[in-house]
Amino acid sequence: MTSESIIALALLITSALTAALFAHMYRLKRQTYLLFWTCGWGVHALHYLVPGLSSLLSLFEVGQSFQQLKGAASGLNLWLLGVSALLFYCAARVYAQLKPMFRAVAIAGIAFGMWVAVQQSGLLPISPHWGVAVAFFMVAKVFWDESRRQESLADRLLAASFVVWGLMMLVTVFRASAAAVFTPDAQLVVIIPQLFAAVLMVMALYEEEKRRVERNMLALSNLNLTTSSFVGGEIQKMLSQALERVLNVVRIPSGALCLHHGDPSGPTSVVAIGLRDSFWAATHEEGLDDQLVNLVARLGGLVVFRDLTRDASWTALGEREAGFRRFRALAIQEGLRTVVGISLQAKERVFGLILLGTPDNRRFTPAELRLLLALGPQIGMAVENSYLIQQTARRTEELHILNEIGRALSSTLDLDKLFEMILQEMQRLFDVSNFYIAFYDPRRDEIQFSMETTDGVRIPPRSRKAGNHLTEHIIGTRQPVLIRENYVEEVRKLGLQPLQTVGCFCGVPLVLYDKGIGVMAVHSTQTRAF
């Protein structure tokens, strides 16, 4: 067994183990550059296969024939070495968040194969090891630039290791002319840059992971600081940013964030990324979102549903929770195999839920689970702050509007101008596309609509006979009525006849001397508008 064969066998084993390590890390982290590192070390191990096995097969009778095969396969080995260098170059660009340049790399791989073939035939004296050295130098350049941008020691050392590795390729070119210098023991130094590259790749992986988590956690921590400027629908933007940051932290492609907003009847805000609208629409229509919020909160605030496609794993929970059984069926239809549920809590109050989904059978590390468990209260607190600030701003606006209407009442006796001013002021609070102010005329037993808009269009004054309807009910009881959904059913529960079939309604009585004289109301064809 020759010294070169021993070195080749050692490098074969080292490269194969390194490829296996990065394959395992890719399963955990799902980072693209880890996949390229896995492929690069795998191909690098293959290029040692023939010279490494020759040391074993030389002990058997096939040794002589294998030596002939070894000579024929040297060109293939050299091409595999070049391919591994190109894969490392792609990995470096992806690691540095640069465009991978797949087409250029593929063309370079084909050109390198032709170079090897021509050189092996004796038509070109220039060794392909020059091309491999250039590829390693290009890898080093990418890591060096990234180290300067991120001020990372691991990236700087990784660049140095690839420079040394490239220099080793150049040394290989001149080895034949300096055979006396390169004794078998001296040839062992070729292992050093490869071992350093493998170790430093692991070090760079964890440094990059640390930087990524710090960036996203810093962005998440700023949620509590920016809520003071959020009013109205801008909370949807904040929720979308929060969900996107959470997805980036745990490297999951899709998720949703739903909130109760202090409403116990169900989530009123939903932000989804990477999920089809039909999936979340079905979840909301069937009331599964409410059930999931309660289920995750009961199970401790953090639940990982792994391998949803395996029936045996979820039989017991499905029997106890019919809602989960239906949600699992919808998740499988969406192509999700792993779903994570995180309760949004603040001051022991559950605001909603974050759902994270991935088509992979994903396993989470304890550190990732602790991070997710900490994110729930943090985002919940940010949401509560935003909600309270919005409510405070709304109360302030309401007081301002009341003052404006009070000034109008004392400054004009023209009812048309007064109603117009009331409508304009109320537009600052909510949608008054369908709005009316009506009074009851007891002499004619009529409801007179003095001010009315339908679909944003002003309607001339009209009247109708009094009947068994909501307006008359509010006048008679002098109590406000809010119907957010199931309009027809709720009206009939009051023993009244509905005048519309869908939507929601909000009406308050106009009271004079403790007697109901009219109604001011808004309604909409949409549910939960008020």
Side-chain angles (χ1 to χ4, degrees), residues 400-444:
H400 176 71
I401 290 173
L402 288 174
N403 289 332
E404 292 293 326
I405 294 176
R407 291 173 56 189
L409 286 171
S410 61
S411 63
T412 181
L413 297 177
D414 189 335
L415 287 180
D416 288 337
K417 290 183 178 180
L418 177 61
F419 292 153
E420 187 68 34
M421 180 169 290
I422 291 174
L423 178 64
Q424 290 177 359
E425 294 297 331
M426 293 187 66
Q427 284 176 344
R428 296 161 60 179
L429 285 178
F430 44 76
D431 182 13
V432 290
S433 299
N434 297 281
F435 170 83
Y436 69 84
I437 298 177
F439 296 94
Y440 175 62
D441 186 350
R443 291 179 302 173
R444 298 181 180 180

Side-chain angles (χ1 to χ4, degrees), residues 159-459:
S161 68
F162 273 100
V163 168
V164 175
W165 202 348
L167 292 175
M168 288 297 176
M169 293 298 103
L170 297 181
V171 167
T172 303
V173 176
F174 300 104
R175 187 169 60 182
S177 57
V181 177
F182 293 97
T183 63
D185 292 335
Q187 294 171 7
L188 288 172
V189 296
V190 76
I191 302 178
I192 296 176
Q194 298 183 34
L195 292 178
F196 266 104
V199 172
L200 291 171
M201 281 181 180
V202 176
M203 182 177 173
L205 164 65
Y206 281 97
E207 278 203 5
E208 193 274 339
E209 181 78 4
K210 180 180 177 182
R211 291 196 302 267
R212 184 182 58 80
V213 172
E214 287 177 349
R215 287 194 304 267
N216 288 288
M217 289 305 297
L218 179 62
L220 285 171
S221 66
N222 288 334
L223 289 174
N224 285 326
L225 301 177
T226 58
T227 52
S228 58
S229 64
F230 286 177
V231 293
E234 290 189 9
I235 191 172
Q236 298 293 114
K237 181 179 179 182
M238 185 269 287
L239 296 178
S240 179
Q241 291 175 348
L243 178 60
E244 184 177 357
R245 291 295 180 180
V246 173
L247 293 175
N248 289 336
V249 167
V250 293
R251 292 174 305 278
I252 288 182
S254 57
L257 191 154
C258 62
L259 293 179
H260 282 281
H261 270 317
D263 179 11
S265 62
T268 57
S269 295
V270 175
V271 176
I273 296 177
L275 295 174
R276 292 178 298 179
D277 294 338
S278 58
F279 168 78
W280 197 254
T283 303
H284 182 65
E285 290 174 2
E286 299 180 28
L288 302 179
D289 46 9
D290 277 338
Q291 298 181 44
L292 285 172
V293 169
N294 296 329
L295 175 62
V296 174
R298 292 200 314 268
L299 295 178
L302 175 63
V303 182
V304 180
F305 303 109
R306 288 188 60 251
D307 201 4
L308 290 174
T309 56
R310 187 178 179 184
D311 295 334
S313 301
W314 306 109
T315 302
L317 184 59
E319 291 176 353
R320 297 196 308 267
E321 304 285 345
F324 172 76
R325 184 168 62 250
R326 174 58 181 153
F327 173 77
R328 175 172 168 256
L330 291 174
I332 293 174
Q333 292 178 7
E334 188 70 12
L336 303 177
R337 292 188 63 189
T338 300
V339 173
V340 182
I342 310 165
S343 288
L344 299 182
Q345 300 181 2
K347 298 178 182 177
E348 299 182 355
R349 180 183 178 188
V350 178
F351 271 86
L353 176 72
I354 296 179
L355 280 180
L356 310 176
T358 174
D360 302 320
N361 188 18
R362 176 75 179 273
R363 292 183 179 273
F364 293 89
T365 64
E368 290 175 328
L369 293 177
R370 288 193 298 269
L371 176 61
L372 290 175
L373 190 59
L375 287 178
Q378 184 180 20
I379 297 176
M381 185 64 69
V383 170
E384 183 185 38
N385 290 344
S386 178
Y387 180 72
L388 293 176
I389 290 170
Q390 289 184 57
Q391 293 302 307
T392 302
R394 183 179 180 88
R395 296 292 181 269
T396 304
E397 187 69 15
E398 289 171 352
L399 289 174
H400 176 71
I401 290 173
L402 288 174
N403 289 332
E404 292 293 326
I405 294 176
R407 291 173 56 189
L409 286 171
S410 61
S411 63
T412 181
L413 297 177
D414 189 335
L415 287 180
D416 288 337
K417 290 183 178 180
L418 177 61
F419 292 153
E420 187 68 34
M421 180 169 290
I422 291 174
L423 178 64
Q424 290 177 359
E425 294 297 331
M426 293 187 66
Q427 284 176 344
R428 296 161 60 179
L429 285 178
F430 44 76
D431 182 13
V432 290
S433 299
N434 297 281
F435 170 83
Y436 69 84
I437 298 177
F439 296 94
Y440 175 62
D441 186 350
R443 291 179 302 173
R444 298 181 180 180
D445 194 27
E446 289 182 345
I447 301 296
Q448 297 178 347
F449 293 86
S450 302
M451 171 71 182
E452 185 178 11
T453 60
T454 301
D455 296 330
V457 179
R458 180 75 177 269
I459 304 299

Side-chain angles (χ1 to χ4, degrees), residues 92 95-96 98 139-160 204 207 211:
Y95 174 85
L98 301 174
V139 176
K141 177 65 165 57
V142 174
F143 279 116
W144 177 258
D145 292 340
E146 181 68 6
S147 70
R148 296 180 63 184
R149 187 170 69 91
Q150 299 289 350
E151 297 183 357
S152 170
L153 176 62
D155 294 341
R156 189 174 294 112
L157 294 176
L158 201 51
E207 278 203 5
R211 291 196 302 267

